[in-house]
Amino acid sequence: MSERKLFGTDGIRGKANVYPMTCEVAMALGRAVTYYFQKHSPNKDRRPKIIVGKDTRRSCYMLELAFSSGVCSQGGRVVLTGPLPTPGVAFVTHSMRADAGVMISASHNIFSDNGIKIFDRNGDKLADEVELELEELVLNPEKIETKIGPDLGNAKRLDEVFGRYIVYAKSAFNEDENLEGLDIVLDCANGAGYKIGPMVFDELGASVHALGVSPDGTNINDSCGALHPSDAMKLVKEKNAHIGICLDGDADRVVIIDENGEQVDGDRLIGLFAKFLLDTGVLKQGDEVVGTVMSNLGLENYIKELGLSFYRSKVGDRYILERLKKSNARLGGEPSGHIIFKDNASTGDGILSGLKTIEAMKYYDSPISKLTSSIDLYPQQLENIRVKQKTPIKKLPKLSEAIDSVNSELGHEGRVLIRYSGTESLMRIMVEGKDDQKVSSALKKLVETAKSEIGV
C-alpha cells in the first residue's frame, strides 16, 4: 500500500491553519469527496448529499465553510448540522440517506488542533484504499473536472438534526428501563456533546450534574472530559452520584467513574460489556470480541475465560469496525474508551457506552466498582515521547535491540508495544507484564534508548 500523506489513523489531523489543516486543503478535500462519492454512487444523476458536522473549536468555522465550498464547487449538496457528536454524524448520514458524512474535529486534542473524519453512506469510516484515492485527488486537483453554471451545488443548515441523534441514543437503552432515581455526573468536555449529552440522560429520567457544557471555542478538552476526569471524580464523591460519565471533544469515547469517584479502566469496561452481552444472550459461547494491540493481556485472558474468543486489530475504531464486520462480531473497543456496539452504531459512541454501562448496573443490580473488580489486568505502563519525525522502528537498531532484550526478560508473561501516534507527533512506548517492577524497569530502558537514538 502507498505511503499515506494526509490521512492518519482517524482522518486528517493537525494544527489548525497549518498544513494540512488549512482552508485550501479542506476545500480541495470537499471537491475530492464529492467527486469520489458521485463517481461511486448507484445514481449517477444524483447530486451527492454530504452531511457536515463539527465540534466546538473556533477553527471549525473556517474549515466547515472551506470544505462546504469545495462540495458546492463540485455540484454537491451540503447539510450543515452545527455541533454534533461524531457518532451523531455517522448516524445522521445513514438516516438521511446521504452519500457521505464529514466530522470536523480533532477529538481529544487541544483546541488549537483540528481534523476531518469522513464516513460513507452507511456511516462507516473509510477504508485505507479509499482514503488513498482521496489523497490522490486532493494532491492532484486537475484530475477533477471543474463544474460551472447550473452544475454548481448548494448548502443548507439543518438545526434540528441533533434531535434525531437523541432519539437514536435513547432507543439503544432498554425500553423497559429508565434512569429515575439515578444521580449522574456528566462531563461533556466543552465539546460536541455539550448540549445533546445532558438532554439524553435527563429525558430518560436521571438527575444530571453537568460539567463541560459551556464551550467558548477555546476550552474544548481543557482540564475537563475524558482526558481530564479529576473534577468529575470529585463531583461524584460530593454528590454521592451513582456514576460519572466523561466524554471527549467529539463524544466518541468515554471514561467511566465508579460510585467511589475512581476511574474505571477502559479494558475492564470492555470486559464488563462482554459478560453483560453474553449473559443477556446477545453474545454466545465462542463469539469474538475485538480489541486492539493496546488491549491488556488480562482482558484477553478474561474474555477467553468467559468462553469467548479475542482478536487484536490495529489501533483505531475504524479497524475495529472492519474486523467486527469481517467476523460478524458485535462488540469491540479500545482501552482509551472507544467502544463499538455493532448492533447500535458504526463508530465509538461515548453517550451510548455510558447508557450501556448503566444498563449493566441495572441488570446485575450492582454498582460499577463491584462489576469490574473481578477483571484482573496486568500492570501496564505507557509513556509518550514527542518526536520530530517518525523513523520506522525497524530502522532504529539500538531501540530494536532493546526491544528484543526486554521481551526476553518478560517472557510469556509480558509484552512490549512501540508505535507512532496516527494523529500526533508522538512515539508511544507501552510495556506490560505480571511484575510491576520489571515493567517499570523495562519502560525506563526503552524510553531512554528511544530518546538517545531518535531525538525529541
Side-chain angles (χ1 to χ4, degrees), residues 161-232:
V161 162
F162 73 89
R164 294 175 180 239
Y165 174 71
I166 289 175
V167 172
Y168 143 78
K170 287 162 56 181
S171 69
F173 189 71
N174 187 339
E175 62 180 12
D176 296 325
E177 297 279 1
N178 59 50
L179 305 184
E180 297 288 344
L182 212 64
D183 272 283
I184 296 173
V185 170
L186 178 65
D187 188 340
C188 298
N190 292 313
Y194 82 96
K195 182 185 293 185
I196 287 176
M199 292 177 70
V200 169
F201 291 96
D202 178 73
E203 289 184 17
L204 286 170
S207 176
V208 180
H209 309 283
L211 297 169
V213 290
S214 302
D216 63 8
T218 66
N219 62 357
I220 186 171
N221 299 317
D222 185 9
S223 301
C224 58
L227 263 69
H228 307 282
S230 57
D231 285 350

Side-chain angles (χ1 to χ4, degrees), residues 177 182 242 276 357-368 370-371:
E177 297 279 1
L182 212 64
H242 297 91
F276 173 59
T357 304
I358 295 170
E359 199 172 322
M361 290 166 56
K362 285 183 166 288
Y363 178 81
Y364 294 110
D365 192 22
S366 186
I368 189 68
K370 184 177 179 181
L371 294 177

